[in-house]
Amino acid sequence: SEVRQITGAPGEYKVRVLKRARRVDIKACVACNACSEVCPVSVPSEFDCGIATRKSIYIPFPQAVPTSYLVDPASCTYVLTDGKKCGACILKCPKDCISLDEKDETVELEVGNIILATGYEVLDARAIQRYAYGTFPNVLTALEFERLTNASGPTGGRIVTRVKKFNKRKKQDEWVFAPDGPPPKSVAIIHCVGSRDANHNPYCSRVCCMYSLKFAHLVREKLPDATCYEFYIDMRAFGKGYEEFAERIKQEGTFTVRGRTATVTEMNGQMVVKGEDLISERLLTFPVDMVLLAVGLVPSSGSDVLAKMLGIARDEDGWFS
């Protein structure tokens, strides 16, 4: 659903909401997966940050509420052709709960209070070309790695590198994460990608240091023989037990390097990370199999529209004041 208009005053707001058609009856659907099994269309999964695929009829993520399927009108062949093609899910559904012709509707709500919880999005790592995100298949953002290491992710939680596999439907090779893929022998984790950077976001995104240390812990835990490097500007371990965790990472064998990372390049078929070590005042070059980018946080799209609806000020970076 999407908020379209807000009028009234505190205690008596009127909110107009565009309710997107799910095209599946949430009360009748028992999430049996029969429809998804026969759906011929696969597209990148938003929840898995594009490192895995989903069908056009799908459940957004594990344990979603309600636990029922919905249809993506942007990729469903039936919707795109006005019912002239496909419809396989309708024929397969044992509960007869799919209505691919269902339309969006507008509803009006009367509420006393409004809570803004718009979350965030991450900086597009392609904007910082020196890290080669989108060029080298094994340069990942933090959220992509989060999904890779998760038990419900595409590899069941195994940390592996992308491999080339032939896609029969597209009739071409593509880089994918396969459960039986080769694990990386060396991993570099780069902090402050787009944060504390005058060219992108001057502010600290606050959460990146600690989740980057968590990633180092996961790499060492799941791949004891792998070498792991942390490149950071300043370690902002600000919470209870955080400094102790930062020290624990070093004891587990992670190499921490203070200084900005310059580039991620390729040399003789091997990814190479070049950076500076401020402590020893020298330039460093490391060959690695995987690079993890701790991308900074930015305001979620649409928050500017909500700010105008409600007359709420935003700061120069776009966050609610």
Side-chain angles (χ1 to χ4, degrees):
S1 298
E2 187 178 323
V3 175
R4 284 300 177 88
Q5 187 182 42
I6 300 172
T7 57
E12 49 181 3
Y13 288 112
K14 289 187 178 179
V15 184
R16 183 172 293 172
V17 178
L18 176 64
K19 188 178 178 183
R20 304 286 184 186
R22 292 181 66 100
R23 294 178 165 83
V24 178
D25 186 338
I26 62 174
K27 294 181 179 179
C29 178
V30 294
C32 65
N33 197 42
C35 56
S36 188
E37 285 180 344
V38 297
C39 179
V41 181
S42 294
V43 295
S45 165
E46 297 87 352
F47 181 67
D48 284 313
C49 301
I51 68 171
T53 59
R54 62 161 175 81
K55 297 297 185 73
S56 280
I57 186 165
Y58 67 108
I59 291 180
F61 52 89
Q63 288 84 49
V65 178
T67 308
S68 64
Y69 281 74
L70 59 89
V71 176
D72 172 19
S75 62
C76 174
T77 307
Y78 182 97
V79 176
L80 294 174
T81 61
D82 292 326
K84 295 176 182 176
K85 291 184 179 180
C86 201
C89 57
I90 298 176
L91 299 174
K92 192 69 175 179
C93 178
K95 293 291 184 177
D96 194 28
C97 60
I98 299 174
S99 175
L100 295 179
D101 295 316
E102 184 184 343
K103 303 299 181 183
D104 299 346
E105 63 174 313
T106 299
V107 297
E108 289 198 356
L109 309 174
E110 291 187 6
V111 297
N113 298 283
I114 294 174
I115 298 172
L116 279 181
T118 58
Y120 63 88
E121 291 177 11
V122 294
L123 182 84
D124 184 357
R126 291 179 179 84
I128 309 176
Q129 296 180 357
R130 67 179 182 274
Y131 295 132
Y133 177 76
T135 301
F136 299 144
N138 288 301
V139 177
L140 311 180
T141 65
L143 280 175
E144 289 172 344
F145 186 71
E146 187 75 45
R147 293 306 307 147
L148 181 67
T149 58
N150 193 281
S152 67
T155 64
R158 291 191 67 238
I159 301 174
V160 297
T161 54
R162 275 189 172 108
V163 292
K164 237 180 199 179
K165 288 202 172 183
F166 183 73
N167 187 315
K168 293 181 180 178
R169 189 173 64 85
K170 295 182 179 178
K171 297 181 179 179
Q172 63 183 32
D173 287 332
E174 57 182 27
W175 291 94
V176 298
F177 284 110
D180 58 350
K185 296 178 181 178
S186 53
V187 179
I189 304 169
I190 302 175
H191 291 221
C192 294
V193 176
S195 298
R196 303 179 67 192
D197 186 334
N199 297 316
H200 299 282
N201 298 321
Y203 53 83
C204 169
S205 293
R206 195 182 186 206
V207 298
C208 315
C209 281
M210 295 314 299
Y211 75 58
S212 296
L213 292 176
K214 180 190 75 171
F215 289 163
H217 171 72
L218 290 172
V219 170
R220 296 294 300 152
E221 180 183 57
K222 295 187 177 185
L223 304 173
D225 297 327
T227 306
C228 188
Y229 306 96
E230 289 258 0
F231 291 89
Y232 69 99
I233 302 174
D234 296 298
M235 194 63 73
R236 297 192 166 180
F238 56 86
K240 184 178 180 180
Y242 286 12
E243 189 66 36
E244 292 82 352
F245 187 68
E247 289 301 315
R248 174 183 171 185
I249 294 304
K250 297 176 186 177
Q251 294 169 9
E252 290 176 349
T254 295
F255 296 98
T256 55
V257 182
R258 186 176 186 182
R260 281 195 179 275
T261 305
T263 58
V264 178
T265 58
E266 190 175 40
M267 188 180 298
N268 300 322
Q270 173 77 51
M271 271 198 305
V272 174
V273 173
K274 295 181 180 179
E276 60 180 349
D277 184 347
L278 292 178
I279 305 299
S280 61
E281 296 184 339
R282 58 177 179 157
L283 295 176
L284 302 174
T285 301
F286 293 106
V288 295
D289 298 320
M290 180 178 283
V291 176
L292 310 180
L293 303 179
V295 283
L297 309 186
V298 296
S300 54
S301 60
S303 57
D304 55 338
V305 177
L306 275 177
K308 290 177 182 176
M309 283 186 193
L310 291 165
I312 293 177
R314 297 193 304 154
D315 63 23
E316 59 185 4
D317 299 310
W319 299 98
F320 294 126
S321 299

